[in-house]
Amino acid sequence: MSNTQTAAEERIPVTVLTGFLGSGKTTLLNKLLRRPELADTAVIINEFGEIGLDHLLVEKSNEDGMVTLNSGCLCCTVRGDLVRTMSELFLKRSKGEVTPFKRMVVETTGLADPAPILHTLMTDPLLASRYRLDGVVTTVDGVNGASTLDNHEEAVKQAAVADRLLLTKVDIADAPKLDELKHRLQHLNPGAPSVSISAGEIDPNQILNAGLYNPDTKTADVKRWLHEEAYEGSHDHGHGHHHHGHGHDHGHGHEHGHGEQDPHNVNRHDDRIKAFCMTFDEPMSWATVAAAFDALVTYRGPDLLRMKGILNVKDTDKPVVIHGVQHVFHPPATLEAWPEGDDRKSRVVFITRDIAESTIRKVFASFFDAEKKGWGQEQQQQ
């Protein structure tokens, strides 16, 4: 478990900007890139059709720092392009051929599931040594957001995996509907702070540095990264809400084509998604916890939308940080020390689709039980 903090701090932070078509990503980028906080930013845009940034922005970024992936969807087929583009940019930066950028923004097409991009950033060894995922920022249209979430599962996933949610067009949105949308997003993803913006104006500090490493203090900011207090209460409320009046519909959201316009089923995608934080008091053996995650990934990988956590592992007195998106886990990182005042409990935040918290608890419990039994047998044999 290498990957120490200093190495992480030296890598270039990458912000993945996602959000459905027309939700205001381009307007946001145009405004952001004029701000001094993003002066040294390389941008990779994955375009869909004719949606591009205006001329001013290309001039602003000296053209060579701006790279466009002309492809409809950044999915498995384009992964190689993303790796190549990011590697080439890093090489040009080393040679002094482009401005020595200090951060990167990857904008995804509005129709894409952001998971493949996150997988690429987490698993490609070349990229992982030079870049680190700072955070996922998702724009949600304050006017049309609710109907987009009703009709497009990709939009729900974009909101569910976000570290920051940006509600756009709030100046022209209907206030009660906007409040409803905010509650809906909070229920989908309690741990992601949401910010309302109009005309793309936002303080860059509200979305940058959303990852584990805090550049101000030069240390890992676990509390901010996990944001676990957001899950307390919201989860219980969520359960009551789920089963109120339409419990019988629960879990059938994947039956597309049947009752697309069913008024009783408007939240079908949301109902499938659960967000919760699990706490473990006892230190755990790395082999056992790794086996438990392996089992979850094997059986339910695509439905583990995002997991992040800090573990008290028996094999080391330092905390181990884990981060996963579906079936892909970032190599575990060891922090130098537990955060000040930390109670040393293991905490893992899960965002899942069609997997109840009780199911995951059972998986972990069975592996911990097996470990204890194995330990007892070993004692008897000695």
Side-chain angles (χ1 to χ4, degrees):
M1 283 175 268
S2 57
N3 228 6
T4 59
Q5 237 169 291
T6 40
E9 283 163 11
E10 283 161 11
R11 290 176 293 156
I12 294 165
V14 179
T15 300
V16 174
L17 176 61
T18 184
F20 214 70
L21 287 173
S23 62
K25 294 193 300 297
T26 305
T27 308
L28 176 76
L29 249 189
N30 266 317
K31 295 281 174 74
L32 275 177
L33 290 168
R34 293 174 196 161
R35 297 287 295 254
E37 295 93 334
L38 280 97
D40 302 315
T41 301
V43 183
I44 297 179
I45 303 162
N46 174 41
E47 290 196 10
F48 187 86
E50 296 303 305
I51 300 160
L53 291 166
D54 62 36
H55 186 59
L56 184 136
L57 177 58
V58 180
E59 286 180 346
K60 177 92 176 145
S61 58
N62 305 325
E63 294 203 38
D64 52 5
M66 173 67 85
V67 184
T68 305
L69 291 179
N70 287 310
S71 154
C73 167
L74 215 149
C75 53
C76 307
T77 51
V78 191
R79 268 195 220 178
D81 287 358
L82 184 66
V83 172
R84 193 171 62 246
T85 303
M86 289 178 73
S87 302
E88 281 171 5
L89 263 180
F90 193 89
L91 201 62
K92 285 182 176 179
R93 177 183 183 267
S94 308
K95 291 178 179 171
E97 292 173 16
V98 296
T99 317
F101 55 90
K102 293 189 182 127
R103 63 171 60 250
M104 179 175 277
V105 175
V106 177
E107 183 197 340
T108 73
T109 157
L111 296 174
D113 174 354
I117 295 176
L118 305 181
H119 294 168
T120 304
L121 290 172
M122 290 161 81
T123 57
D124 185 84
L126 202 62
L127 294 189
S129 63
R130 295 164 176 180
Y131 298 97
R132 63 178 169 83
L133 173 65
D134 177 51
V136 180
V137 177
T138 302
T139 51
V140 179
D141 187 320
V143 178
N144 304 313
S147 63
T148 305
L149 291 171
D150 288 344
N151 296 314
H152 300 279
E153 194 169 5
E154 296 84 358
V156 177
K157 280 178 81 177
Q158 288 169 353
V161 300
D163 294 294
R164 299 284 182 274
L165 288 163
L166 302 186
L167 275 162
T168 62
K169 308 179 190 175
V170 293
D171 48 331
I172 54 169
D174 175 61
K177 282 185 181 169
L178 194 63
D179 281 345
E180 214 171 283
L181 181 60
K182 282 180 191 169
H183 285 303
R184 189 169 172 180
L185 291 170
Q186 192 184 0
H187 177 66
L188 261 181
N189 186 346
S194 69
V195 184
S196 296
I197 60 174
S198 56
E201 294 289 353
I202 187 173
D203 174 358
N205 295 313
Q206 292 189 285
I207 54 172
L208 300 176
N209 310 320
L212 177 63
Y213 298 99
N214 188 337
D216 298 332
T217 57
K218 291 287 179 203
T219 55
D221 192 341
V222 175
K223 192 174 168 58
R224 185 190 54 152
W225 185 60
L226 284 182
H227 199 195
E228 63 199 91
E229 64 281 3
Y231 294 84
E232 292 164 19
S234 75
H235 182 47
D236 300 332
H237 163 76
H239 268 314
H241 170 76
H242 272 322
H243 294 293
H244 181 67
H246 62 238
H248 56 280
D249 285 337
H250 191 72
H252 297 294
H254 52 272
E255 292 176 11
H256 287 296
H258 299 295
E260 274 297 308
Q261 300 304 317
D262 179 356
H264 300 298
N265 206 14
V266 289
N267 289 343
R268 65 186 187 282
H269 299 311
D270 306 32
D271 273 351
R272 299 175 64 190
I273 290 177
K274 307 274 182 293
F276 46 90
C277 181
M278 280 171 46
T279 307
F280 303 94
D281 296 339
E282 299 292 317
M284 46 184 75
S285 113
W286 176 250
T288 302
V289 76
F293 274 114
D294 275 349
L296 280 172
V297 164
T298 304
Y299 296 117
R300 301 301 302 269
D303 294 320
L304 296 165
L305 299 185
R306 196 153 182 203
M307 296 139 292
K308 39 188 177 177
I310 179 168
L311 304 179
N312 183 348
V313 174
K314 288 176 185 171
D315 324 51
T316 170
D317 60 349
K318 294 176 178 177
V320 175
V321 173
I322 54 160
H323 184 202
V325 175
Q326 292 179 316
H327 58 283
V328 171
F329 271 79
H330 202 283
T334 310
L335 301 181
E336 289 308 305
W338 282 86
E340 209 173 309
D342 202 296
D343 55 13
R344 298 203 171 200
K345 285 179 181 172
S346 298
R347 283 108 62 202
V348 187
V349 166
F350 286 91
I351 296 183
T352 63
R353 179 178 55 190
D354 295 335
I355 314 177
E357 179 175 354
S358 54
T359 305
I360 291 182
R361 284 200 180 277
K362 278 177 200 154
V363 170
F364 277 96
S366 67
F367 277 90
F368 292 148
D369 287 350
E371 183 192 351
K372 280 179 191 157
K373 281 175 189 159
W375 184 80
Q377 282 161 5
E378 278 168 32
Q379 295 297 98
Q380 284 165 6
Q381 282 163 9
Q382 287 169 5

